[in-house]
Each structure stands twice: as structure tokens, then as C-alpha cells.
Amino acid sequence: MSTSGLNMSRRIRRTPYTDRVEAAGVRGFSVVNHMLLPKAFRPSVEQDYWHLREHVQIWDVSCQRQVQIQGPDAARLVQWMTPRNIGKARVGQCMYVPIVDADAGLINDPVLLKLAEDRFWLSIADSDLLLFAKGLAIGAGMDVRVTEPDVSPLAVQGPRAEELLASLFGEQVRAIGFFRFGWVDFQGTRQLIARSGYSRQGGFEIYLDDSALGSALWDAVWQAGEAFNIAPGCPNLIERIEGGLFSYGNEMTRENNPLEIGLGKYCTLDGSIDYIGREALQRIARAGAQREIRGIVFDGGACPPCGKPWPVMAGDTQIGQITSAAWSPRLKRNVGLSLIERGYQRAGQSVTVHSSEGTARPGEVSDLPFD
Amino acid sequence: MSTSGLNMSRRIRRTPYTDRVEAAGVRGFSVVNHMLLPKAFRPSVEQDYWHLREHVQIWDVSCQRQVQIQGPDAARLVQWMTPRNIGKARVGQCMYVPIVDADAGLINDPVLLKLAEDRFWLSIADSDLLLFAKGLAIGAGMDVRVTEPDVSPLAVQGPRAEELLASLFGEQVRAIGFFRFGWVDFQGTRQLIARSGYSRQGGFEIYLDDSALGSALWDAVWQAGEAFNIAPGCPNLIERIEGGLFSYGNEMTRENNPLEIGLGKYCTLDGSIDYIGREALQRIARAGAQREIRGIVFDGGACPPCGKPWPVMAGDTQIGQITSAAWSPRLKRNVGLSLIERGYQRAGQSVTVHSSEGTARPGEVSDLPFD
């Protein structure tokens, strides 16, 4: 057993940065896409949170694996996989694309990167979307190659990320727009860099395309970052809940459709494009989603980690379940995310939250994001 | 963070038995199929090992999720997914079925359970085979439903498993043959029980088909087991390596084909059935697999956990890499599993193993299983 208590094996893959992450004093890991994701560095997630909001952090998010779809039928396959119209996407653009099955159940919610007219990456959340894409391509006899390239994103997040990366790669980094990507030189190689990341504090993700350069890239970012008070970090539970960033597997599973998760704006429902799950999604849209995601603020002191969903009650009626929660040191209340039944979704709706230690905590429904 | 050091969230699913597993003093978890798998109970994996060989253990293997394939095209889809001929499988039979992609790369190595002529479960290793099956079915327009039922296997493993389960469910349990399944009554429900499991010590797996009965089933097995010196357990690293049981993600990945992993006996290569990857597999068979899995015994004191592969050298030539290893208290040597290059595969071949602490440990190639 490792010091983190998570049993290590080859099956739970290390990343090109894991050596550096361990040297930086990581305090625990999670597992995403069969790969290690650091979960904390400082003594508390709250200290990581304040640092992220004020300075800049380096994050090993290699677990955001890329599903590369390449070939004459690539654009057709990608469009078939998502309700979002990708027809207007340009090369150099990122796009958040919910992926659903034939019942409109969410399978993944990746970011699409359009590398060429016939080459795409899907930067995935925690499910083997590669296998879905392979199955579709084989089943339909499409002329595409579906692979997992040796690409391991390193995120630089926080208000000083742009300054840091401009000092390292040059001023052209500043010209990259939100959810756009460009290219930088690193040790004689060309690497993709996008203005994106799983926080609301701004920043970039470097899609390192060669594992062997992992430590060198980490070290280069770290050295350039010393002038900006850089620290090691990772997606921060408090920050992402406050910012209304959802997590596949937590806020949404195959049991949920995009309309419940507030992703209706990404769903083309007018019949102008064809995709898997269209009929199911149109049917749900006509009836109206029975539940929708909302914030919950609640009291009773700092809540424990939400390892299993906590019932949200309005009187004696269960109207939802909190799937992620944390104490917000800024709001001085707990914040959580929950699907909420129709009729109870208005901000201010009184609720009680039954967290795992058994007490009923008073709270209310909130709009998202919290801040 | 939990006491185990693995950060808990809904995304890493608890099982119907996790409450009991925690009460029984679990010392760590791994994550398989987005679900908790206990990794140790006693102070050492070695103590768990001796108990498993001599008595009987109860294992939470809920992470062996079922992919249910049901409908008029179910048998056709299942056969398409595996090189193994399932034509002769009868209802009530289990079958180990490697699953490969179009390049003959291993995607999963589940156990198939034939529940009816038009209904199958694939009891999976650690990859989302559900998404591959869904993709194939959608892509090819097959008339099947692909779902993950609420089924959570509880294994009872060890030499006294049959006695225990006969005392709990009745003598008919004894009549179930190896890799066959039958049905038992539990609290007015009908539950599937198979003579199978991820050890070489004999035993059964109960495919509990209702999460709500998890604690009740655990308690019933535990109570009946007290007469047989039952203990909580889990797949045991030492026992499975000694027994030559491979682990998807460790010994095999998409980079490997079944012929390398000794699964040629399950592959129909004569063209009599059609399945995904057939041409690639026939091509590999004609050329002969470049590497094949072997055991390695090696010295230098008890080895550390194998978190990343260890090079296996013959002189200055790397001929393999160990992907799982453990100290065998019975053989008083370390045992490991490695693909080995052609020309070096004979038992007795001298090697050195470069484990993670950097020392070169002398050893030799061994046939499998070790005992």
C-alpha cells in the first residue's frame, strides 16, 4: 500500500507528472479514466482554494485522456455522438459537447478540440468514451481511426496563469481566446495550448504530446512560476462547486439527461441535425425535464465529504439529493449541488439536508454559480 | 479524505456491501469500474493469503459489474464481440470470453453468463464494456437492450466455501459444476449463484440482484460462516499471481492481443465464426506472437509493490516487464508476471529484474501457474 492508502498497480496508471506530483507532497489521489488524479497538496482543500483564487497553480490533469477520431468519416462520427451542432466549429476551437446514448442518458461530457477537418480530440471525463466511439465506428462501418494518443494535459490555473505562460512561451499566449487553442514550442517540439480548465479562475491547459517530456515540462512551468508564487494544485472541490462546475459521475450519470443538468443550450432539438438520442431528447424536451440542477446552501457547521448522496427534503417530501458539497470559506455556509424536482426549483425554497452524520441541516435552493 | 486516503465521492461508487466492509475493518480500497474494491483487511496481504488457502472468505466484488445484453439480436452481438465460439454455450453456463477491438487489442476479459437464449450477462473487468456494446448495437442497428442491472456479486472463496453455502442455501449448491450457475432462495427472492471466482481455492459467487438486500446477504453469509472460521477478504495479490490469474489493466491492455496472454485456446482462428478483430488475430497467429506471458521467480528479499512495470533483462537485452509481483511466503521467493519476448520464454531462462528501488534482482523464467 502506498502512503496515500490507495493500492497502487499498473492498472491505475501513473502519469508523466506523477514523479513530480509525489515530490511536491501530494496528500491523496483519486482515480479517473484508470489514471491517478491528485486530490490535495496543502493540509486542507481550503488552503488550496485560497491559493488558487489569488495566485497560480500547476495541475496534473493527465486523466483528461484524449479520444482521437481521425479519418474521412471523423466529423460525421463526432456529430453523431453529440446533440450539439459542431458544424460551425473551426480548427483551433474547443467546444463542450455532452454525449448521450439512445435513451438520452449522459455517457460523458468532454471538451471537443478540432485539430483539422478530419481530426478531433475528445478530452474526456470519467468513462471509456473510446470504447463507445470504437463500437459506433465498427458497428456502422465508418472510415475512421479511434485511438488514445500519448497526450497528457497539464493545467495552469489561477489569475496569474497568463502572465506565467507568457513569460515561459512568449506573448502570443495572450492572444489565445477563451476555449480556443494555439501552439507553443517546447524543447524543439510543438505543443497544443488551450485557454480552458476546470476552474473559474482562468488559465490554460497544455496538451503535452509526449510522455517523455513530462518532468521537463513540469519543471519549466514550475521555474517560470516561482516569480508568480506558483503552487501544486488540482481541481478544487470548493471552487468548482461555488463556480457551478459539474462532475461526470457525481452530478450526472447515465440516469440523467442533458436537460436536467442545464445543458439544454447545447442541445439541438429542432431536427436540423441527426445524432444518437435525438428522439429521446425531443420527447423529454416536450414533456419538460422532471428535475433540474440547482445549488443548495445549508448550515449546521462545515459538512463532511459527500461520499454518498444526501437527501434534500422540503418538509416530508424528498425533492433531490446532494451529490457534491463543501464548506465555502468565503460564503461561510455549506454549498452543494443537487437535482431538484419541478415545483421546488426557485431560489430561496426552504429545504433540509440530511448529511451522512444524520442531522437535518436547514438550507435553501440557490441559483448557480453561487458567487 | 477518508481513513483509507482515497478521496471519496459519489463518482467512485459505494457498493451494497460497503457499510459492512467498513465495519469489518477494511484497510484500503482500489477502484474498478468506478466502484470501490476492498484491498486488504488483515495487517498484511500475507495473512489474508494464508487464511484464504485454509478457510473461507467473504469478498465484496460488486465492481464486477454486469453488462446485460438482451433481445432478439443478443446472441449475435455477443458472438460478434468475442473470438471464442459461444455457439455451444448452454443456459446456466459461464464462459471466459476475451473481447478485442478491430486490431485484436484486448478491451476486456469478462465471464459470460448465459441466462437465456436471448439474455446474457458479461461480468466485466476494469473497462466500460457497456459503452462498447452500446456503440456496436447502435452502429449496427441491432435489436438489443444493453444495460447495467442492479447486480452486485458477493464472492465466497476458499476450501470451505461449499460447506458454508450448503449450510446456508441447502445441499443443491453442491451440485453446481465449475463455471456453471444455479439459483437459490434468499429472503423470498431468487438469486443466481455460480461456482466461480478470482482465486484458485474454489468457491462461489452470488450475483445479488437487489442492492437493498446487500447487508442482509452479507450478514447471512457471515453468520453461517462463523462455524467455518470465515473472515472478510478480497482478491489476493499473492494467491492470484501464484495461481497465474491475470488482471486486465495489469497484465493486459489494449496494446496486447489474446495470443500473447495465453488465451489462444479461446480464439477461433479457422474462419468458422465471424467476430471483430478476426483478420488481425489470424494475421498475428500466422506470424506467431512476438511475446508471451510467463512467470518470473526472483530473489533479493521481499519486493515492494509493483506500481509501475519493472524491466526484465537477459544480460543487456530487455526481454519483458513485470506488471504484477509479490513475495510468496510459500515458495520463499518473489513471483511476478511478465510478457517475455520470443526466444527467452523457456522455464529456467536467467533474468535480472529491475524493481523500483533500483537494485538488479537475479531470477528466472517459470511456467504458470507457479505451484
Side-chain angles (χ1 to χ4, degrees):
Chain A
M1 200 164 306
S2 83
T3 51
S4 78
L6 173 66
N7 281 68
M8 294 298 176
S9 69
R10 182 194 187 207
R11 181 176 57 77
I12 296 176
R13 298 177 287 179
R14 294 171 67 86
T15 86
Y17 316 113
T18 304
D19 289 347
R20 290 296 186 266
V21 158
E22 287 173 341
V26 66
R27 288 167 176 267
F29 287 104
S30 190
V31 179
V32 174
N33 289 321
H34 318 281
M35 193 169 253
L36 292 172
L37 172 68
K39 288 308 281 184
F41 285 88
R42 302 191 172 221
S44 77
V45 173
E46 188 174 325
Q47 287 172 276
D48 278 338
Y49 162 88
W50 286 116
H51 183 273
L52 171 62
R53 289 179 60 92
E54 293 163 5
H55 306 282
V56 61
Q57 294 186 348
I58 180 171
W59 295 2
D60 174 4
V61 288
S62 302
C63 65
Q64 296 169 192
R65 306 308 296 163
Q66 307 310 302
V67 176
Q68 175 168 288
I69 300 180
Q70 182 166 25
D73 289 332
R76 190 159 68 90
L77 175 55
V78 172
Q79 182 60 84
W80 198 30
M81 288 172 71
T82 178
R84 185 160 182 187
N85 190 337
I86 67 153
K88 287 178 192 155
R90 293 183 190 178
V91 172
Q93 189 170 344
C94 308
M95 227 184 207
Y96 178 74
V97 289
I99 311 276
V100 300
D101 64 15
D103 304 316
L106 280 155
I107 282 180
N108 205 296
D109 68 328
V111 172
L112 177 71
L113 289 84
K114 184 169 179 175
L115 295 153
E117 295 301 330
D118 63 351
R119 183 168 169 240
F120 299 84
W121 284 348
L122 290 160
S123 187
I124 62 173
D126 186 29
S127 75
D128 296 328
L129 193 60
L130 177 103
L131 296 183
F132 189 59
K134 269 185 187 277
L136 291 170
I138 294 169
M142 285 182 164
D143 188 3
V144 291
R145 288 283 297 166
V146 180
T147 55
E148 181 181 310
D150 176 23
V151 170
S152 300
L154 184 69
V156 182
Q157 298 286 300
R160 306 191 76 184
E162 182 178 309
E163 284 177 278
L164 187 167
L165 291 170
S167 80
L168 178 61
F169 294 120
E171 291 296 312
Q172 84 275 16
V173 165
R174 300 188 193 271
I176 298 171
F178 182 68
F179 257 50
R180 293 290 188 282
F181 63 83
W183 300 87
V184 291
D185 289 320
F186 181 68
Q187 297 197 347
T189 67
R190 193 164 163 268
Q191 302 294 343
L192 190 156
I193 181 167
R195 193 185 287 266
S196 57
Y198 196 58
S199 86
R200 297 286 193 199
Q201 307 309 314
F204 293 81
E205 292 174 300
I206 306 163
Y207 286 68
L208 180 67
D209 197 353
D210 182 356
S211 286
L213 292 174
S215 293
L217 179 63
W218 178 284
D219 293 345
V221 172
W222 187 269
Q223 271 194 301
E226 282 180 325
F228 305 97
N229 194 22
I230 194 170
C234 47
N236 186 280
L237 183 66
I238 304 167
E239 198 273 345
R240 79 142 177 106
I241 295 174
E242 283 187 359
L245 291 172
F246 311 139
S247 157
Y248 185 76
N250 285 309
E251 280 65 68
M252 60 190 119
T253 72
R254 281 195 311 278
E255 303 299 312
N256 302 117
N257 65 67
L259 305 184
E260 292 175 341
I261 313 298
L263 307 178
K265 57 183 173 291
Y266 302 125
C267 297
T268 305
L269 294 168
D270 63 6
S272 61
I273 56 165
D274 190 27
Y275 55 85
I276 294 160
R278 190 181 71 177
E279 287 70 29
L281 210 47
Q282 287 172 327
R283 200 164 48 238
I284 294 161
R286 279 195 299 274
Q290 191 54 40
R291 301 165 296 184
E292 251 185 52
I293 198 156
R294 288 292 181 272
I296 306 285
V297 286
F298 59 103
D299 302 311
C303 66
C306 184
K308 49 184 162 183
W310 296 336
V312 177
M313 312 292 291
D316 293 336
T317 307
Q318 183 170 351
I319 60 166
Q321 57 174 17
I322 286 183
T323 47
S324 296
W327 173 256
S328 164
R330 216 162 37 78
L331 305 177
K332 309 268 190 257
R333 299 185 78 183
N334 297 296
V335 290
L337 300 169
S338 175
L339 292 189
I340 294 290
E341 293 294 318
R342 220 193 274 191
Y344 300 90
Q345 296 165 345
R346 195 173 311 177
Q349 163 76 46
S350 284
V351 301
T352 52
V353 173
H354 292 252
S355 59
S356 43
E357 74 293 67
T359 55
R361 295 161 172 268
E364 70 257 0
V365 172
S366 159
D367 290 328
L368 289 172
F370 284 97
D371 30 357
Chain B
M1 200 163 309
S2 83
T3 51
S4 79
L6 174 67
N7 280 68
M8 295 299 176
S9 69
R10 181 192 186 208
R11 181 177 58 76
I12 296 178
R13 299 178 283 181
R14 294 171 66 86
T15 86
Y17 315 113
T18 304
D19 288 346
R20 290 296 186 267
V21 159
E22 288 173 341
V26 66
R27 287 168 177 267
F29 287 104
S30 189
V31 179
V32 173
N33 289 321
H34 319 280
M35 193 169 252
L36 293 172
L37 172 67
K39 287 308 282 184
F41 284 89
R42 301 190 175 221
S44 78
V45 173
E46 188 174 324
Q47 287 172 277
D48 278 337
Y49 162 87
W50 286 117
H51 183 273
L52 171 62
R53 289 179 59 91
E54 292 165 5
H55 305 283
V56 60
Q57 293 186 348
I58 181 171
W59 294 2
D60 175 2
V61 288
S62 301
C63 64
Q64 297 170 193
R65 306 307 297 164
Q66 306 310 302
V67 176
Q68 175 168 288
I69 300 181
Q70 181 166 27
D73 289 331
R76 191 159 69 92
L77 176 54
V78 172
Q79 182 60 83
W80 199 30
M81 289 172 71
T82 179
R84 184 160 184 188
N85 190 337
I86 66 153
K88 287 178 193 156
R90 294 183 189 177
V91 172
Q93 189 170 345
C94 308
M95 230 185 204
Y96 179 73
V97 289
I99 312 276
V100 300
D101 65 14
D103 304 316
L106 281 155
I107 282 180
N108 204 297
D109 68 328
V111 172
L112 176 71
L113 289 84
K114 183 168 180 176
L115 294 153
E117 294 301 329
D118 64 351
R119 183 168 169 240
F120 299 84
W121 284 349
L122 289 159
S123 188
I124 61 172
D126 187 28
S127 77
D128 296 328
L129 193 60
L130 177 104
L131 296 183
F132 188 59
K134 268 184 186 279
L136 290 171
I138 293 169
M142 285 182 164
D143 188 3
V144 290
R145 289 283 297 165
V146 179
T147 55
E148 180 180 312
D150 176 23
V151 170
S152 300
L154 184 70
V156 181
Q157 298 284 300
R160 305 192 75 185
E162 182 178 309
E163 283 177 279
L164 187 168
L165 291 170
S167 82
L168 178 59
F169 293 121
E171 292 296 312
Q172 84 276 16
V173 166
R174 300 188 193 270
I176 299 170
F178 182 68
F179 258 50
R180 292 291 187 283
F181 63 82
W183 300 88
V184 291
D185 289 321
F186 180 68
Q187 297 196 349
T189 67
R190 194 164 161 268
Q191 302 295 342
L192 189 156
I193 182 168
R195 192 185 288 266
S196 59
Y198 196 57
S199 85
R200 296 287 192 197
Q201 307 308 316
F204 293 81
E205 292 174 302
I206 306 163
Y207 285 69
L208 181 68
D209 196 354
D210 182 354
S211 286
L213 292 174
S215 293
L217 179 62
W218 178 284
D219 292 345
V221 171
W222 186 268
Q223 270 195 300
E226 283 181 322
F228 304 97
N229 195 21
I230 194 170
C234 47
N236 186 280
L237 183 66
I238 305 167
E239 198 273 345
R240 81 144 176 102
I241 295 174
E242 283 187 357
L245 290 171
F246 311 140
S247 156
Y248 185 76
N250 286 308
E251 279 65 67
M252 61 189 120
T253 72
R254 281 195 311 278
E255 303 299 312
N256 302 115
N257 64 67
L259 305 183
E260 292 176 341
I261 313 298
L263 306 179
K265 57 183 173 288
Y266 303 125
C267 296
T268 304
L269 295 167
D270 63 7
S272 60
I273 56 167
D274 191 27
Y275 55 84
I276 294 158
R278 190 181 72 177
E279 287 70 30
L281 210 48
Q282 288 172 326
R283 199 163 50 239
I284 294 162
R286 279 194 299 273
Q290 191 54 40
R291 301 166 296 183
E292 252 186 51
I293 198 156
R294 289 290 182 274
I296 306 285
V297 286
F298 58 104
D299 302 311
C303 66
C306 183
K308 47 183 162 183
W310 296 336
V312 177
M313 311 293 290
D316 292 336
T317 308
Q318 183 170 350
I319 61 166
Q321 57 174 15
I322 286 183
T323 47
S324 296
W327 172 256
S328 165
R330 216 161 37 79
L331 305 177
K332 308 266 190 259
R333 300 183 78 182
N334 297 296
V335 290
L337 299 170
S338 175
L339 292 189
I340 294 291
E341 294 294 318
R342 222 193 274 192
Y344 299 91
Q345 296 164 348
R346 195 172 312 176
Q349 164 75 46
S350 284
V351 300
T352 53
V353 173
H354 292 252
S355 60
S356 44
E357 75 291 68
T359 55
R361 296 162 173 266
E364 70 256 2
V365 171
S366 158
D367 291 328
L368 289 172
F370 284 97
D371 32 352

